[in-house]
PDB file of all heavy atoms in Angstrom:
ATOM      1  N   VAL A 196       1.475 -22.210  14.547  1.00  0.00           N
ATOM      2  CA  VAL A 196       0.708 -22.252  15.815  1.00  0.00           C
ATOM      3  C   VAL A 196      -0.019 -20.939  16.031  1.00  0.00           C
ATOM      4  O   VAL A 196      -1.182 -20.953  16.447  1.00  0.00           O
ATOM      5  CB  VAL A 196       1.650 -22.579  17.017  1.00  0.00           C
ATOM      6  CG1 VAL A 196       0.940 -22.369  18.325  1.00  0.00           C
ATOM      7  CG2 VAL A 196       2.138 -24.002  16.884  1.00  0.00           C
ATOM      8  N   ASP A 197       0.602 -19.805  15.782  1.00  0.00           N
ATOM      9  CA  ASP A 197      -0.063 -18.506  15.991  1.00  0.00           C
ATOM     10  C   ASP A 197      -1.234 -18.365  15.023  1.00  0.00           C
ATOM     11  O   ASP A 197      -2.310 -17.922  15.438  1.00  0.00           O
ATOM     12  CB  ASP A 197       0.970 -17.409  15.790  1.00  0.00           C
ATOM     13  CG  ASP A 197       0.486 -16.039  16.263  1.00  0.00           C
ATOM     14  OD1 ASP A 197      -0.460 -15.987  17.069  1.00  0.00           O
ATOM     15  OD2 ASP A 197       1.031 -14.994  15.803  1.00  0.00           O
ATOM     16  N   ALA A 198      -1.020 -18.635  13.740  1.00  0.00           N
ATOM     17  CA  ALA A 198      -2.109 -18.523  12.754  1.00  0.00           C
ATOM     18  C   ALA A 198      -3.248 -19.485  13.105  1.00  0.00           C
ATOM     19  O   ALA A 198      -4.427 -19.142  13.023  1.00  0.00           O
ATOM     20  CB  ALA A 198      -1.587 -18.813  11.353  1.00  0.00           C
ATOM     21  N   PHE A 199      -2.888 -20.729  13.508  1.00  0.00           N
ATOM     22  CA  PHE A 199      -3.901 -21.701  13.819  1.00  0.00           C
ATOM     23  C   PHE A 199      -4.683 -21.328  15.074  1.00  0.00           C
ATOM     24  O   PHE A 199      -5.865 -21.668  15.186  1.00  0.00           O
ATOM     25  CB  PHE A 199      -3.234 -23.083  14.039  1.00  0.00           C
ATOM     26  CG  PHE A 199      -2.734 -23.757  12.765  1.00  0.00           C
ATOM     27  CD1 PHE A 199      -2.029 -24.940  12.818  1.00  0.00           C
ATOM     28  CD2 PHE A 199      -2.993 -23.191  11.529  1.00  0.00           C
ATOM     29  CE1 PHE A 199      -1.589 -25.574  11.693  1.00  0.00           C
ATOM     30  CE2 PHE A 199      -2.525 -23.800  10.370  1.00  0.00           C
ATOM     31  CZ  PHE A 199      -1.848 -24.961  10.459  1.00  0.00           C
ATOM     32  N   ALA A 200      -4.057 -20.621  16.020  1.00  0.00           N
ATOM     33  CA  ALA A 200      -4.767 -20.203  17.227  1.00  0.00           C
ATOM     34  C   ALA A 200      -5.882 -19.240  16.866  1.00  0.00           C
ATOM     35  O   ALA A 200      -6.978 -19.319  17.432  1.00  0.00           O
ATOM     36  CB  ALA A 200      -3.804 -19.591  18.227  1.00  0.00           C
ATOM     37  N   THR A 201      -5.570 -18.278  15.977  1.00  0.00           N
ATOM     38  CA  THR A 201      -6.613 -17.355  15.526  1.00  0.00           C
ATOM     39  C   THR A 201      -7.763 -18.105  14.843  1.00  0.00           C
ATOM     40  O   THR A 201      -8.940 -17.852  15.119  1.00  0.00           O
ATOM     41  CB  THR A 201      -6.017 -16.341  14.531  1.00  0.00           C
ATOM     42  OG1 THR A 201      -4.936 -15.631  15.193  1.00  0.00           O
ATOM     43  CG2 THR A 201      -7.053 -15.335  14.077  1.00  0.00           C
ATOM     44  N   ALA A 202      -7.401 -19.077  13.990  1.00  0.00           N
ATOM     45  CA  ALA A 202      -8.423 -19.852  13.285  1.00  0.00           C
ATOM     46  C   ALA A 202      -9.234 -20.709  14.245  1.00  0.00           C
ATOM     47  O   ALA A 202     -10.455 -20.795  14.130  1.00  0.00           O
ATOM     48  CB  ALA A 202      -7.755 -20.730  12.246  1.00  0.00           C
ATOM     49  N   ALA A 203      -8.556 -21.334  15.220  1.00  0.00           N
ATOM     50  CA  ALA A 203      -9.242 -22.207  16.161  1.00  0.00           C
ATOM     51  C   ALA A 203     -10.227 -21.415  17.024  1.00  0.00           C
ATOM     52  O   ALA A 203     -11.358 -21.891  17.311  1.00  0.00           O
ATOM     53  CB  ALA A 203      -8.237 -22.914  17.047  1.00  0.00           C
ATOM     54  N   PHE A 204      -9.878 -20.191  17.391  1.00  0.00           N
ATOM     55  CA  PHE A 204     -10.815 -19.354  18.147  1.00  0.00           C
ATOM     56  C   PHE A 204     -12.058 -19.047  17.289  1.00  0.00           C
ATOM     57  O   PHE A 204     -13.181 -19.102  17.791  1.00  0.00           O
ATOM     58  CB  PHE A 204     -10.139 -18.078  18.564  1.00  0.00           C
ATOM     59  CG  PHE A 204     -10.988 -17.238  19.499  1.00  0.00           C
ATOM     60  CD1 PHE A 204     -10.967 -17.430  20.868  1.00  0.00           C
ATOM     61  CD2 PHE A 204     -11.831 -16.238  18.990  1.00  0.00           C
ATOM     62  CE1 PHE A 204     -11.770 -16.683  21.706  1.00  0.00           C
ATOM     63  CE2 PHE A 204     -12.630 -15.462  19.829  1.00  0.00           C
ATOM     64  CZ  PHE A 204     -12.601 -15.682  21.200  1.00  0.00           C
ATOM     65  N   ALA A 205     -11.872 -18.790  16.011  1.00  0.00           N
ATOM     66  CA  ALA A 205     -12.996 -18.540  15.118  1.00  0.00           C
ATOM     67  C   ALA A 205     -13.879 -19.764  14.926  1.00  0.00           C
ATOM     68  O   ALA A 205     -15.076 -19.649  14.763  1.00  0.00           O
ATOM     69  CB  ALA A 205     -12.479 -18.008  13.763  1.00  0.00           C
ATOM     70  N   MET A 206     -13.265 -20.948  15.008  1.00  0.00           N
ATOM     71  CA  MET A 206     -14.012 -22.191  14.891  1.00  0.00           C
ATOM     72  C   MET A 206     -14.999 -22.420  16.011  1.00  0.00           C
ATOM     73  O   MET A 206     -16.019 -23.064  15.855  1.00  0.00           O
ATOM     74  CB  MET A 206     -13.046 -23.392  14.798  1.00  0.00           C
ATOM     75  CG  MET A 206     -12.239 -23.465  13.537  1.00  0.00           C
ATOM     76  SD  MET A 206     -11.103 -24.885  13.629  1.00  0.00           S
ATOM     77  CE  MET A 206     -10.000 -24.526  12.265  1.00  0.00           C
ATOM     78  N   GLY A 207     -14.626 -21.952  17.212  1.00  0.00           N
ATOM     79  CA  GLY A 207     -15.452 -22.200  18.402  1.00  0.00           C
ATOM     80  C   GLY A 207     -15.473 -23.636  18.790  1.00  0.00           C
ATOM     81  O   GLY A 207     -14.437 -24.312  18.955  1.00  0.00           O
TER      82      GLY A 207
END
Side-chain angles (χ1 to χ4, degrees):
V196 169
D197 192 21
F199 287 175
T201 302
F204 187 86
M206 291 178 193

